[in-house]
Amino acid sequence: QVHLLESPGGSVQAGGSLRLSCVAPGFASADSCMGWFRQGVGQEREAIAFMHFGTGNIYYADSVKGRFTVSRDYAKYTMYLQMDNLAPEDTARYICAAAFPCFSDVRLGTWSPNTWGQGTQVTVSE
């Protein structure tokens, strides 16, 4: 079973940027997906972005599209979530997740990870 190791989150003022990373040693199958969820206090968990490794397609939630960018360093088995123009409503616990198998027709609303990171807190102040 893959282990997901997340970088620490942090605090930033509105308009600022943060980058999260998630290392998944050895996790590289083309039939896999990896991405991020977030959950604010009193809110439901939200899928915000994921990448299908085989196609390279990346899917974003409307709430983060244009501000957040997912990328992957294949050699380091690491996925990054670059978060720009952060707003207070982005305050949440961000959780890295992975799925194997993960088929190419999976979309953001339907992908179902079977491995989860520990999560990391991101706080955006006014």
Side-chain angles (χ1 to χ4, degrees), residues 2-114:
V2 63
H3 294 283
L4 304 177
L5 307 173
E6 297 181 33
S7 61
S11 297
V12 65
Q13 289 189 322
S17 298
L18 280 175
R19 189 178 78 161
L20 304 180
S21 64
C22 181
V23 181
F27 190 70
S29 170
D31 294 324
S32 301
C33 296
M34 192 166 165
W36 300 86
F37 286 72
R38 69 182 181 185
Q39 187 168 20
V41 174
Q43 298 179 357
E44 293 187 357
R45 188 171 58 195
E46 175 189 19
I48 57 172
F50 84 97
M51 172 191 283
H52 185 274
F53 285 5
T55 63
N57 291 335
I58 302 173
Y59 303 92
Y60 296 96
D62 289 342
S63 57
V64 305
K65 195 173 296 182
R67 301 186 300 122
F68 290 13
T69 304
V70 166
S71 62
R72 183 183 173 206
D73 185 325
Y74 292 79
K76 297 181 179 180
Y77 298 102
T78 300
M79 175 165 281
Y80 301 97
L81 179 67
Q82 176 67 40
M83 304 182 290
D84 297 318
N85 194 21
L86 284 160
E89 51 265 36
D90 294 316
T91 294
R93 189 166 188 81
Y94 284 71
I95 309 162
C96 179
F100 175 79
C102 184
F103 302 110
S104 60
D105 60 348
V106 170
R107 296 296 181 261
L108 193 64
T110 58
W111 87 291
S112 181
N114 44 29

